[in-house]
Amino acid sequence: MVYLGTKAETLARLENILEHGKVLPQVSFCVEEWHKASDRVLEIIKNKFEGKKLVVRSSALNEDCQKESKAGEYDSVLGVVTEDEITKAVEKVIDSYHIGGGHNWR
């Protein structure tokens, strides 16, 4: 079986090898990191993207596999700017893992 990794991992690998496309900057973290140190994660996001509109999206281990896809199963939140919006968006995406059975979240 080919290991594709999470969406975030795949995008990071593609970033320097794409010839006709662009991978936008990202911050990725696992649910455990968020629960243990959300303030630290928010600080990283703020330092990298302050004042810019963001998309908060899923990157579960079981989301895009060789044998199945869960495309569209988990929430994404668009147009997120403030720290409060980021926090609410991250929590919404995490909550969608539980609804969609995404127990392999990162």
Side-chain angles (χ1 to χ4, degrees):
M1 183 197 297
V2 176
Y3 176 72
L4 300 174
T6 65
K7 188 184 313 176
E9 291 168 341
T10 300
L11 288 170
R13 282 196 309 273
L14 290 173
E15 187 172 14
N16 294 317
I17 61 173
L18 284 178
E19 294 180 16
H20 303 286
K22 182 177 181 178
V23 175
L24 297 175
Q26 64 178 348
V27 171
S28 62
F29 51 90
C30 69
V31 173
E32 183 178 0
E33 287 175 283
W34 176 258
H35 287 152
K36 285 184 177 180
S38 61
D39 289 344
R40 186 178 140 280
V41 173
L42 286 167
E43 188 66 27
I44 292 167
I45 295 168
K46 180 180 167 185
N47 288 337
K48 191 164 188 172
F49 300 109
E50 188 162 20
K52 295 182 180 173
K53 287 185 178 182
L54 306 177
V55 176
V56 177
R57 60 186 308 168
S58 60
S59 185
L61 288 171
N62 70 343
E63 193 165 356
D64 296 309
C65 302
Q66 190 174 11
K67 294 184 179 183
E68 73 173 319
S69 173
K70 294 189 182 287
E73 191 166 324
Y74 306 125
D75 286 334
S76 292
V77 183
L78 310 175
V80 177
V81 178
T82 69
E83 191 171 309
D84 185 54
E85 290 172 340
I86 294 168
T87 298
K88 288 177 182 175
V90 170
E91 293 295 337
K92 181 175 182 174
V93 172
I94 290 171
D95 287 347
S96 75
Y97 288 157
H98 303 296
I99 294 167
H103 58 279
N104 293 313
W105 31 260
R106 288 203 60 185

